[in-house]
Amino acid sequence: MTNKKGFTTTLLHSDRLKKPEHGALHKPIHTSVTFGYDDVQDLVNVFQNKASGFAYSRQGNPTVNALEHKVTQMENGFATVCFATGMAAISSTIIALIKNGDHIISSSYLFGNTRSIFQSFIDMGLDITFTDATSAENIKAGLKHNTKMVFVETIANPATQIADMEAIGRLCEEKGILYMVDNTMTTPYLFKPINVKASLVINSLTKYIGGHGNALGGSVTDTGLFNWLNFANINEVYKKQVKPETLGVTQIRKKGLRDAGGTLAPEAAHSISIGSETLALRMDRACNNAKALANYFEAHPNIKKVFYPGLAHHPQHEMAKRLFANFGSLMSIELDESIDCFAFLNKLQLVVKSSNLGDTRTLAIPVAHTIFNELGPEKRAEMGISDNMIRLSIGIEDLEDLLGDFGEALA
Ligand SMILES: *Cc1c(COP(=O)(O)O)cnc(C)c1O
């Protein structure tokens, strides 16, 4: 099998191509914390990045490595480092690559915990500017001489704003700035950020890629587009040890994963790996369910507003159509003021009141009271989040059952 195969075929046969022991179809779960060598020189070579291999599982493990290979293939990337969670991937990558005195521009439409860790970085002295990333002009206006990174999400949660990713990609390329794109909401099945010139791609593997709400994980993929030799923060030691194209992942693995220690457990890596085999099937089904429900909510008198990129009135609908294979399964609804948000949620029988997203099951959560509660009313207003907003992550249930459950709760 040498030719490039389709998305699902590639995932299904990825482990087998590297010939796991006994003809196993899955890479086994390697629980060993450390790895021994007969010749100490071999151990030294691994430490000095002169040979690939495993030394201590905090910074690398064969089971996790098999998943890293899968994520790289999914993203058409160059290399991937996995982490314990999506948040560990984001925070560790920034710790690995950014120094005091550097400036980051971030979309102001962010996953709540990402916004919160960015605030912590600001409190530690980092300069981070938040701006409306639905227009690349705002990013351009925020540039400083020391801007090192631009961070955006593909579809922001919960109000589904879509970053002006193509234009931001061109801008970052022109200025030689790292462009980090959080692809969690779209997944590499619907969208590959390498196509908009992203340098680094974040995925929360906890969400759609793992897909079953039974394992936490995160990843950062180097697309191979960024020239790390021009990046001022690369450790001189690594420049002597590794090829220029692997400088980024080497530094992320060492300074991010090894030092900050947000390591993905091999058991979780295995669950995520199995889950990822059906990513395409689940996404197709969930996206279809979401589209049908969005249209249903749109026509319902008790719903004031529907936030979903698949609807024609969505401000970035045309961009979503151009960039993504489908519109995703995340949406938010704003109930009419006459409807009590909690009463509505409590009437739902099938839909689970839960904070996760990207599960096989449909999940609902009142946004202002939970995931965006710590921000306070002012920042929420700035981010377009009302008190009557409910975020829905649509699952793969039979559509009729979902329509029935929402219909009864809205009646
Ligand atoms: C959930 C999520 C994260 C964090 O992922 P965890 O695995 O829960 O740490 C980051 N970004 C986005 C867009 C998310 O939805």
Side-chain angles (χ1 to χ4, degrees):
M1 288 202 288
T2 47
N3 303 351
K4 180 101 181 105
K5 296 284 191 291
F7 188 87
T8 297
T9 311
T10 302
L11 283 179
L12 292 176
H13 296 278
S14 169
D15 287 358
R16 204 165 60 85
L17 287 182
K18 298 216 164 163
K19 304 206 183 307
E21 43 273 51
H22 311 299
L25 302 188
H26 303 125
K27 185 74 179 171
I29 302 175
H30 286 274
T31 56
S32 193
V33 167
T34 195
F35 299 85
Y37 291 82
D38 291 338
D39 185 338
V40 69
Q41 187 61 51
D42 292 336
L43 177 65
V44 167
N45 288 346
V46 169
F47 260 83
Q48 295 183 1
N49 299 313
K50 287 175 184 156
S52 61
F54 301 99
Y56 187 67
S57 274
R58 180 162 17 84
Q59 63 164 306
N61 168 286
T63 311
V64 177
N65 195 238
L67 176 61
E68 289 171 340
H69 184 58
K70 274 183 195 160
V71 177
T72 300
Q73 288 173 303
M74 283 192 249
E75 289 288 3
N76 281 350
F78 172 70
T80 297
V81 183
C82 279
F83 290 86
T85 62
M87 287 317 304
I90 294 170
S91 56
S92 304
T93 300
I94 290 176
I95 287 169
L97 298 176
I98 300 299
K99 289 193 173 165
N100 196 6
D102 292 342
H103 174 239
I104 297 175
I105 304 179
S106 167
S107 168
S108 45
Y109 307 121
L110 285 182
F111 179 65
N113 299 154
T114 303
R115 173 91 187 204
S116 181
I117 186 77
F118 282 6
Q119 188 56 50
S120 299
F121 286 143
I122 292 170
D123 296 343
M124 289 165 78
L126 221 59
D127 184 11
I128 305 182
T129 304
F130 295 101
T131 189
D132 178 352
T134 60
S135 164
E137 289 306 312
N138 296 328
I139 305 283
K140 198 169 182 179
L143 287 176
K144 298 184 184 179
H145 71 280
N146 57 341
T147 304
K148 284 279 197 308
M149 177 187 280
V150 172
F151 183 93
V152 302
E153 296 179 0
T154 55
I155 303 178
N157 152 29
T160 71
Q161 298 94 338
I162 297 168
D164 191 2
M165 288 189 287
E166 293 162 298
I168 297 172
R170 285 192 295 269
L171 180 68
C172 287
E173 182 185 51
E174 182 193 317
K175 305 280 179 192
I177 294 170
L178 269 177
Y179 182 24
M180 184 141 103
V181 176
D182 184 335
N183 196 27
T184 300
M185 241 22 110
T186 24
T187 82
Y189 177 59
L190 298 185
F191 175 61
K192 292 177 181 43
I194 189 174
N195 295 339
V196 293
K197 303 176 190 290
S199 335
L200 296 170
V201 183
I202 295 287
N203 279 290
S204 167
L205 306 174
T206 315
K207 311 291 172 55
Y208 298 97
I209 292 180
H212 297 73
N214 64 345
L216 292 157
S219 64
V220 56
T221 300
D222 181 343
T223 59
L225 296 182
F226 189 73
N227 184 353
W228 294 102
L229 281 177
N230 291 345
F231 194 64
N233 296 347
I234 295 292
N235 191 314
E236 289 302 323
V237 175
Y238 303 149
K239 284 187 189 167
K240 294 195 188 86
Q241 292 180 337
V242 304
K243 291 187 191 130
E245 60 270 28
T246 59
L247 284 169
V249 280
T250 300
Q251 185 145 326
I252 291 168
R253 187 174 293 282
K254 302 276 173 176
K255 299 283 171 197
L257 182 62
R258 182 195 64 189
D259 296 357
T263 304
L264 180 64
E267 293 85 352
H270 180 74
S271 293
I272 292 164
S273 212
I274 301 297
S276 74
E277 293 184 352
T278 54
L279 173 62
L281 285 76
R282 288 182 284 105
M283 280 313 267
D284 283 344
R285 169 95 164 200
C287 290
N288 286 345
N289 279 351
K291 190 102 190 284
L293 282 165
N295 288 329
Y296 171 78
F297 292 139
E298 186 76 353
H300 202 289
N302 290 345
I303 290 181
K304 204 165 123 187
K305 195 161 178 199
V306 184
F307 300 83
Y308 184 63
L311 295 171
H313 67 66
H314 186 283
Q316 292 92 36
H317 175 67
E318 289 306 319
M319 198 196 305
K321 227 162 59 179
R322 194 170 66 246
L323 293 181
F324 308 148
N326 208 329
F327 300 106
S329 94
L330 188 104
M331 76 178 75
S332 290
I333 53 176
E334 214 176 291
L335 299 172
D336 190 81
E337 278 95 10
S338 63
I339 308 282
D340 181 86
C341 174
F342 284 24
F344 163 76
L345 284 166
N346 285 332
K347 273 201 216 161
L348 291 167
Q349 297 295 306
L350 199 63
V351 175
V352 189
K353 277 80 78 181
S354 164
S355 70
N356 193 19
L357 58 91
D359 198 299
T360 43
R361 287 146 283 253
T362 299
L363 313 174
I365 192 160
V367 175
H369 314 82
T370 58
I371 47 176
F372 284 80
N373 188 247
E374 274 184 29
L375 284 181
E378 269 170 37
K379 281 215 179 88
R380 280 203 297 273
E382 194 185 301
M383 294 171 91
I385 295 159
S386 88
D387 286 351
N388 235 5
M389 181 192 263
I390 294 168
R391 186 189 74 190
L392 302 171
S393 171
I394 306 303
I396 61 170
E397 293 95 339
D398 297 286
L399 178 61
E400 290 310 311
D401 296 326
L402 292 175
L403 285 166
D405 201 32
F406 281 116
E408 276 173 37
L410 281 168

